Amino acid sequence: MSGVPQGSVLGPLLFIIYINNIDTDIVSKLSKFADDTKLSKSVECEVERDILRSDLEKIHRWSEEWQMLFNVDKCVVMHLGNSNKKFNYFMGDTEIKTVTKQRDLGITIRDSMKYSDQCSEAAKAANKILGLIKRNIQYKNKETIVRLYKALVRPKLEYCVQVWNPHYKKDIAVLEQVQRRATKMIDGL
């Protein structure tokens, strides 16, 4: 029956200290970000599969020991690559569901490593903001629209673009359509 104030620096610091030893004896690559934990490994044969399964079991045992159970319903497996044998993985006695698409830290990732979904979602979010601007801003001179575009729309299009950098013409066209829509909103253009 204790806690720390929400939004304080102390809460995240104590959480980091609490989960600091989760990667003890883990062979696979373990990534931690806030309360997200990702385990990844290249698996080409049964031996590597067994290593990954063993690491999952170690993490599961850690969560039981420290009374910080993983929500297995939120845990997923994504198989990457064409030659992937797509083994099944378990956390405790529960099989972890396999997905072909996953949203992580605001980016949609597909098992094909193509980011067309991310481009569509970024364009959709940017178009919502443009619609808001169009409905609520009456005086649409060039300076006002450019400032609003740079402050509200462009961040939606450029969020983590270093990761999902669009290179297919169809994806680039989707994003450029948003820019064309913004320029059409300026009176006189």
Side-chain angles (χ1 to χ4, degrees), residues 15-31:
F15 183 76
I16 290 168
I17 292 168
Y18 192 74
I19 67 164
N20 192 41
N21 69 339
I22 192 172
D23 51 4
T24 304
D25 297 328
I26 300 294
V27 177
S28 306
K29 180 176 169 55
L30 186 97
S31 303

Side-chain angles (χ1 to χ4, degrees), residues 13 23 39 42 45 49 67 76 89 93 99 117 155 157 168:
L13 179 63
D23 51 4
L39 194 62
S42 175
C45 63
R49 175 204 62 194
Q67 298 176 0
V76 296
Y89 296 97
D93 296 331
V99 296
D117 293 331
L157 297 174
Y168 292 118

